Amino acid sequence: MKPSIVLLNASERKYGCSSQLLHIAAEGVLDAQGKFEIVHLSDHTIKPCLGCASDVEKFCKYPCLIEDDDFNGIASKLIEAHGFVVATPVYWYAPNGVLKNFIDRLTSLENMIDHVGKSLLEGKVAGFIAAGSDSGVMMAISYMAIVFNSMGVHIVPWSMAYTHSQDPTEDVQAIMDAYNVGLLVTKIARILMKNEPVGYESNVDLERLKRKVERIKREFDGQRALRMDKFKLSQ
């Protein structure tokens, strides 16, 4: 079975820099014996999140309660896929607005941990592409990596590609990085397909863990007392 990878393009310009690098990532997917689908967010309507979870947390669930746009259909592709690559232009040091709306709405997938015991993105694999003329590319990629990791997604090694160039074909490093993002997302997805799922464990013995901390605190009570005495003497 081939790993299925969604290539999510946030750019309004299908010919733009981030889009070009996403197509290079597609070659990496193919060379890693995966299959891909490119989804252009500009072809769809994604409404802003209504913040249901802030009223009653369990109101937030998948399918999202907003039904008169295209979010649920695109989200279903991520659920069915083994991994995804997200490409965005950088607007003021961040992903563009349509992608931010989409990410906010993905809370409905993450919040399924309150309904079925796990995020619907848990175990997926992701990499990221950003294009912009300033240092905002790293801020945008860092934002995406933190958010998706918080949703249970595996962030692969060398998971990022970016360019400041108006012509990515002149940026050799960006081309190589974009190819490897696609390649590595697919390879890691294949490894995870064959192994035990790795996910967040919520059924833990909290009392045992608290007792462990109390033992450590007692063990180092003497050291703490010495440090406090030293601090007092220095005043």
Side-chain angles (χ1 to χ4, degrees):
M1 180 180 178
K2 290 186 174 182
S4 175
I5 310 299
V6 172
L7 304 181
L8 196 65
N9 177 31
S11 179
E12 293 289 328
R13 303 186 308 142
K14 295 179 182 177
Y15 54 85
C17 298
S18 57
S19 301
Q20 292 174 44
L21 292 179
L22 191 64
H23 282 278
I24 292 172
E27 293 302 303
V29 173
L30 293 177
D31 287 352
Q33 303 303 305
K35 58 183 180 178
F36 70 87
E37 176 184 2
I38 295 182
V39 176
H40 299 282
L41 291 182
S42 62
D43 290 340
H44 302 276
T45 299
I46 308 294
K47 292 187 174 182
C49 176
L50 296 178
C52 299
S54 296
D55 291 323
V56 177
E57 191 166 5
K58 286 199 172 183
F59 281 177
C60 181
K61 61 183 180 178
Y62 176 82
C64 178
L65 298 181
I66 300 173
E67 297 179 336
D68 58 345
D69 73 352
D70 301 320
F71 170 78
N72 284 328
I74 300 173
S76 70
K77 295 179 184 293
L78 298 187
I79 293 170
E80 294 165 5
H82 299 98
F84 49 91
V85 177
V86 185
T88 183
V90 176
Y91 290 2
W92 287 108
Y93 309 101
N96 68 354
V98 66
L99 180 56
K100 184 59 169 65
N101 279 344
F102 184 76
I103 289 173
D104 289 346
R105 296 282 297 282
L106 287 175
T107 305
S108 62
L109 276 66
E110 185 274 338
N111 206 51
M112 288 301 288
I113 196 168
D114 288 333
H115 299 274
V116 299
K118 63 178 288 187
S119 164
L120 298 188
L121 291 177
E122 185 173 289
K124 310 297 181 185
V125 184
F128 310 102
I129 293 170
S133 60
D134 54 41
S135 59
V137 290
M138 291 310 298
M139 295 178 68
I141 289 173
S142 296
Y143 166 77
M144 291 189 290
I146 291 169
V147 170
F148 281 106
N149 184 257
S150 298
M151 293 182 176
V153 176
H154 298 292
I155 310 302
V156 301
W158 294 288
S159 61
M160 69 190 78
Y162 60 88
T163 187
H164 301 300
S165 175
Q166 292 296 316
D167 182 1
T169 62
E170 297 178 350
D171 189 340
V172 173
Q173 190 64 55
I175 291 174
M176 291 177 61
D177 289 347
Y179 174 84
N180 274 282
V181 168
L183 185 84
L184 290 168
V185 164
T186 308
K187 284 188 172 183
I188 299 298
R190 185 187 303 280
I191 291 170
L192 292 173
M193 287 166 62
K194 298 177 181 179
N195 290 278
E196 177 184 352
V198 179
Y200 189 85
E201 178 57 67
S202 57
N203 186 26
V204 298
D205 185 346
L206 292 175
E207 293 307 314
R208 176 175 65 88
L209 301 180
K210 290 178 181 178
R211 290 194 299 270
K212 176 64 177 293
V213 173
E214 290 302 324
R215 288 198 301 271
I216 296 299
K217 288 164 66 175
R218 289 194 299 271
E219 182 179 343
F220 291 99
D221 268 349
Q223 184 184 90
R224 181 176 184 275
L226 288 172
R227 286 172 58 86
M228 295 302 293
D229 287 342
K230 181 178 181 181
F231 176 77
K232 291 173 184 176
L233 289 172
S234 67
Q235 296 303 304

